[in-house]
Amino acid sequence: QVQLVESGGGSVQAGGSLRLSCSASGYSTISTRCMAWFRRAPGREREGVASLCPGGGLTYYADSVKGRFSISQDNARKTLYLQMDSLKPEDTAVYYCAASPSWVVATNQANFAYWGQGTQVTVSS
């Protein structure tokens, strides 16, 4: 059973940076073929932020974060990162790490079978 644990959330002023981490355990290479970050802002639906499928070179970013966020994974594929720069108040949300055994991107949360508990990111103006 895949277990995902996020860390790195916190409070920051607009224009600042944060790096989120997601540690994976109990996984196989197949079960975590693609990894992603989603977020849920207050009063809104959960939305995909970015995803990465290293084996297939498939990377996705939501338009709202392109040029500001960067998704990456360590060589052992045990930790997923989300570098967030030039943060805006509208980036305030709970951020979730997710994994899928399929070749998918973070446009639909139903594509992802495994989820972390989330980490809060708050950006003040």
Side-chain angles (χ1 to χ4, degrees):
Q1 181 71 14
V2 177
Q3 294 182 328
L4 304 173
V5 179
E6 303 94 338
S7 62
S11 297
V12 65
Q13 289 190 326
S17 298
L18 283 173
R19 188 174 82 156
L20 305 183
S21 299
C22 172
S23 297
S25 61
Y27 70 99
S28 65
T29 301
I30 292 176
S31 63
T32 56
R33 177 167 283 154
C34 294
M35 303 284 292
W37 289 97
F38 286 77
R39 68 186 180 186
R40 177 179 284 153
R44 301 186 63 178
E45 296 288 325
R46 187 156 57 184
E47 63 175 354
V49 175
S51 59
L52 178 67
C53 306
L58 186 62
T59 306
Y60 163 84
Y61 291 97
D63 288 342
S64 59
V65 306
K66 281 181 181 177
R68 300 188 299 120
F69 290 11
S70 177
I71 188 171
S72 62
Q73 197 169 29
D74 68 356
N75 289 338
R77 298 182 65 183
K78 292 185 177 180
T79 305
L80 181 74
Y81 302 99
L82 184 68
Q83 177 67 41
M84 305 186 295
D85 299 319
S86 302
L87 282 162
K88 304 175 181 180
E90 50 264 44
D91 294 319
T92 294
V94 177
Y95 283 72
Y96 299 89
C97 175
S100 172
S102 304
W103 298 106
V104 293
V105 295
T107 53
N108 187 343
Q109 60 180 330
N111 292 334
F112 291 82
Y114 307 104
W115 292 85
Q117 293 300 306
T119 184
Q120 176 71 45
V121 171
T122 302
V123 184
S124 58
S125 57

